[in-house]
C-alpha cells in the first residue's frame, strides 16, 4: 500500500514539476461512475464537449467511430474505450474551458481516460481572430494534437442526425467541378479529421505500455 501511495505522489509531483496546476474542483468535468449512457454502441473514441454548444454531439453523428460522452470523462467500464478527444468552440471562454479540462487530465484527476487531442470548431465564418489563434496554440500545447474544423453554415440548418456520416474505409468521392453539398456528402475537412483521429488511436495502441500502473508494484 505504501508503494502505491508513493507512486501516486510521484505522479502528482511530476504533474506539478511540468507546470500543470489542476483547476479548482468547480471547473473540472465529472467522471462517469457507470458506463456512458447510449444506445449500446461501443465507440472507438469519445468526444467530450468541454462546454454546451461545443459541437461534440454533431460530430458524434458525423464520425461513425466516435460517440458523445455528454460532457463527462468516461469511467472506462465494461471494456469502454479510454480514448478521449476534447471539443471546444474557437472562443476565449471555450478554449479556457478546454484548458481547464486538459489541466485536470494532466494532474491525474480525470479517471483512466487517455486524451488524444483537441478539436476546435469555428464559432463563426471567416478568419480566426489573432487572439483566438494564439490562445489555441497555448491550449493545444497540453492537448498533443489539435484538429481545426471550419464553419459549416449548412450544418446549422438541419438536425445533426440528418447529416452524412463518415466511416473508415469510405471510398473517396469522385472529382467534380461543382462544390460538394455538406448536407449530402462528407467534406474533405471531415474526412481528414476522422482519419487523423483514427491515426491517433492507432499510435496510442502501438505505444509501449508503462509499468507505472502495474498493481503488482
Amino acid at each position: 500500500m505504501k508503494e502505491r501511495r508513493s507512486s501516486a505522489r510521484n505522479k502528482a509531483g511530476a504533474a506539478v514539476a511540468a507546470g500543470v496546476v489542476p483547476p479548482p474542483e468547480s471547473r473540472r468535468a465529472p467522471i462517469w461512475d457507470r458506463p456512458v449512457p447510449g444506445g449500446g454502441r461501443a465507440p472507438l473514441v469519445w468526444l467530450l464537449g468541454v462546454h454546451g454548444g461545443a459541437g461534440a454531439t454533431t460530430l458524434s453523428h458525423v464520425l461513425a467511430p466516435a460517440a458523445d460522452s455528454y460532457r463527462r470523462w468516461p469511467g472506462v467500464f465494461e471494456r469502454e474505450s479510454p480514448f478521449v478527444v476534447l471539443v471546444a468552440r474557437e472562443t476565449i471562454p471555450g478554449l479556457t474551458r478546454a484548458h481547464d479540462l486538459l489541466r485536470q487530465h494532466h494532474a491525474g484527476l480525470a479517471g483512466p481516460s487517455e486524451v488524444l487531442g483537441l478539436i476546435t470548431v469555428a464559432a463563426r465564418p471567416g478568419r480566426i481572430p489573432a487572439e483566438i489563434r494564439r490562445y489555441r496554440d497555448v491550449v493545444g500545447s497540453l492537448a498533443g494534437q489539435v484538429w481545426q474544423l471550419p464553419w459549416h453554415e449548412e450544418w446549422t440548418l438541419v438536425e445533426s442526425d440528418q447529416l452524412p456520416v463518415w466511416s473508415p474505409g469510405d471510398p473517396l468521392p469522385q472529382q467534380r467541378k461543382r462544390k460538394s453539398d455538406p448536407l449530402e456528402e462528407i467534406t474533405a475537412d471531415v474526412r481528414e479529421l476522422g482519419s487523423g483521429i483514427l491515426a491517433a488511436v492507432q499510435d496510442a495502441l502501438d505505444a509501449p505500455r508503462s509499468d507505472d500502473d502495474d498493481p503488482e508494484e
Side-chain angles (χ1 to χ4, degrees):
M1 181 64 72
K2 290 182 179 179
E3 290 179 353
R4 292 183 186 179
R5 290 177 179 171
S6 175
S7 175
R9 286 196 297 269
N10 290 340
K11 290 179 182 178
V16 173
V20 178
V21 179
E25 189 170 356
S26 62
R27 296 191 63 83
R28 302 172 193 169
I31 304 167
W32 281 106
D33 59 0
R34 61 187 187 278
V36 179
R41 187 171 64 133
L44 187 63
V45 62
W46 296 104
L47 300 181
L48 196 168
V50 303
H51 57 84
T57 301
T58 297
L59 287 174
S60 70
H61 283 286
V62 172
L63 301 173
D68 192 348
S69 69
Y70 303 107
R71 297 182 61 187
R72 293 180 178 227
W73 298 99
V76 191
F77 293 96
E78 299 179 5
R79 302 176 69 87
E80 285 182 326
S81 170
F83 302 125
V84 173
V85 174
L86 304 184
V87 185
R89 285 284 173 183
E90 288 174 346
T91 64
I92 293 299
L95 293 172
T96 298
R97 184 64 177 150
H99 197 203
D100 288 337
L101 268 59
L102 287 166
R103 289 162 53 208
Q104 177 185 358
H105 171 71
H106 282 285
L109 300 172
S113 301
E114 181 174 346
V115 172
L116 300 180
L118 168 68
I119 301 171
T120 66
V121 181
R124 60 185 176 91
R127 297 183 61 183
I128 304 171
E131 297 85 352
I132 299 293
R133 190 167 56 249
R134 286 194 294 267
Y135 192 30
R136 186 182 64 188
D137 291 342
V138 172
V139 175
S141 66
L142 285 180
Q145 298 193 57
V146 179
W147 296 279
Q148 197 275 338
L149 194 66
W151 178 262
H152 287 293
E153 184 74 29
E154 296 85 353
W155 286 14
T156 67
L157 305 177
V158 298
E159 296 290 341
S160 55
D161 58 3
Q162 295 179 263
L163 295 172
V165 177
W166 176 85
S167 297
D170 280 353
L172 293 176
Q174 296 180 353
Q175 293 289 341
R176 296 187 180 95
K177 292 183 179 180
R178 67 174 177 82
K179 183 180 178 181
S180 62
D181 182 352
L183 298 182
E184 298 293 336
E185 300 174 333
I186 290 295
T187 57
D189 49 76
V190 172
R191 287 198 304 273
E192 292 173 5
L193 173 61
S195 298
I197 292 175
L198 284 187
V201 170
Q202 190 61 57
D203 288 345
L205 292 172
D206 291 343
R209 295 292 178 182
S210 171
D211 293 332
D212 291 344
D213 296 326
D214 189 344
E216 297 293 329
E217 292 183 359

